[in-house]
């Protein structure tokens, strides 16, 4: 257990439905990242926050995806009008910025299946 | 798109043998990290090597970095069945605006047979 939690762990939804995932980072970590991992591939960066500010979004993050981190604590990732291609593992990670190099601590992931 | 490629894609060894996997990347990096992922689970950080370092050890792990060849290797010595997992290299780019985001390779799936 890295101290990063994600909820739910598994989500099955029908195409066209909206889903929301939650990530609770390690409490003193000010950076929070979202990645997506499809079967047999490495994770791909989606977006990251420093405190409550969303500083970068990947072009993978279409306008159906939105992420928030109110008050710089937990974060949510919402996918609207889900498509079968959204089926993947969604991973959250947190780190402590400052002082240069830092490692990221990953949560267990939320596995999304869109039917 | 992913920054790196890992080689081999899959590796099967007997318990007690050493496992070596390689990672190549394309652009200048600040550091390179190795992660382990057990089937269907989150990633666990193993070791980080900075761009000005050439070799690093942690327990049974040895990582090398050759920035001139843009490549790294991970050696697991005296492997155990519990080392069965996928191993990913991930780079952090030199660009300050990159925010320390990780760019992962495709991974090496390691099977250690008892």
């Amino acid at each position: 257990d890295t101290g990063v939690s994600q909820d739910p762990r598994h989500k099955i939804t029908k195409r066209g439905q909206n889903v929301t995932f939650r990530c609770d980072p390690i409490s003193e970590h000010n950076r929070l990242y979202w990645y997506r991992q499809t079967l047999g591939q490495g994770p791909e960066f989606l977006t990251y926050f420093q405190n409550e500010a969303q500083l970068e979004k990947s072009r993978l993050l279409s306008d159906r995806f939105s992420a928030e981190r109110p008050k710089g604590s937990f974060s949510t990732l919402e996918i609207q009008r889900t498509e079968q291609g959204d089926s993947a593992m969604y991973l959250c990670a947190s780190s402590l910025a400052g002082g240069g190099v830092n490692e990221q601590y990953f949560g267990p992931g939320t596995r999304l299946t869109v039917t | 798109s992913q920054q790196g490629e890992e080689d081999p894609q899959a590796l099967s060894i007997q318990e007690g043998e050493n496992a070596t996997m390689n990672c190549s990347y394309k652009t200048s990096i600040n550091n390179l990290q190795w992660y382990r992922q057990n089937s269907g689970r989150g990633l666990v950080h193993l070791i980080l090597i900075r761009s000005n370092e050439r070799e690093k050890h942690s327990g049974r792990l040895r990582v090398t970095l050759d920035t001139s060849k843009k490549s790294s290797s991970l050696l697991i010595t005296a492997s155990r069945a519990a080392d069965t997992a996928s191993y990913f290299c991930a780079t952090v780019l030199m660009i300050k605006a990159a925010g320390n985001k990780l760019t992962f390779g495709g991974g090496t799936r390691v099977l250690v047979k008892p």
Side-chain angles (χ1 to χ4, degrees):
Chain A
D1 183 359
T2 62
V4 179
S5 61
Q6 292 187 246
D7 183 68
R9 296 288 306 276
H10 302 273
K11 179 71 177 178
I12 301 173
T13 191
K14 294 188 176 178
R15 190 176 53 187
Q17 298 293 304
N18 299 345
V19 293
T20 300
F21 310 141
R22 177 181 170 122
C23 171
D24 287 89
I26 293 171
S27 58
E28 61 267 28
H29 284 182
N30 52 2
R31 278 194 176 158
L32 187 148
Y33 303 80
W34 285 98
Y35 295 85
R36 182 173 70 187
Q37 184 179 26
T38 52
L39 203 60
Q41 301 296 315
E44 294 180 291
F45 169 78
L46 291 179
T47 188
Y48 93 95
F49 294 82
Q50 178 145 329
N51 300 312
E52 65 275 9
Q54 188 174 18
L55 296 186
E56 187 175 350
K57 293 194 290 186
S58 162
R59 62 177 183 274
L60 292 175
L61 214 65
S62 76
D63 56 8
R64 295 184 298 104
F65 287 71
S66 63
E68 294 182 343
R69 192 183 182 197
K71 301 178 185 177
S73 56
F74 70 91
S75 175
T76 57
L77 177 68
E78 181 183 16
I79 310 174
Q80 296 183 326
R81 306 181 303 282
T82 52
E83 301 173 355
Q84 287 187 320
D86 297 331
S87 295
M89 175 81 90
Y90 290 83
L91 295 162
C92 172
S94 70
S95 72
L96 187 61
V101 175
N102 53 76
E103 68 178 82
Q104 295 181 21
Y105 294 82
F106 281 80
T110 293
R111 182 170 296 283
L112 173 67
T113 303
V114 181
T115 62
Chain B
S1 63
Q2 296 184 321
Q3 151 90 304
E5 292 183 3
E6 294 181 61
D7 172 57
Q9 291 188 332
L11 183 59
S12 180
I13 56 174
Q14 292 293 136
E15 203 165 27
E17 293 180 340
N18 295 344
T20 300
M21 58 210 86
N22 304 296
C23 167
S24 60
Y25 57 91
K26 298 172 185 171
T27 58
S28 295
I29 61 171
N30 178 289
N31 66 79
L32 185 145
Q33 304 178 33
W34 286 90
Y35 284 81
R36 183 185 73 221
Q37 186 177 38
N38 291 90
S39 181
R41 299 192 175 184
L43 289 95
V44 174
H45 183 267
L46 296 176
I47 196 164
L48 181 153
I49 187 164
R50 292 175 171 79
S51 59
N52 61 353
E53 297 175 314
R54 291 295 166 260
E55 188 170 313
K56 207 158 181 182
H57 296 255
S58 175
R60 293 184 297 113
L61 306 179
R62 173 179 169 251
V63 168
T64 62
L65 179 64
D66 186 334
T67 53
S68 67
K69 295 181 179 177
K70 291 187 168 61
S71 68
S72 173
S73 68
L74 171 67
L75 167 68
I76 306 172
T77 60
S79 63
R80 304 166 183 169
D83 294 328
T84 294
S86 291
Y87 292 82
F88 295 92
C89 69
T91 54
V92 174
L93 301 183
M94 284 294 291
I95 304 168
K96 192 172 183 180
N100 283 357
K101 69 182 181 189
L102 296 168
T103 305
F104 286 86
T108 294
R109 289 175 295 284
V110 175
L111 171 64
V112 181
K113 294 179 282 188

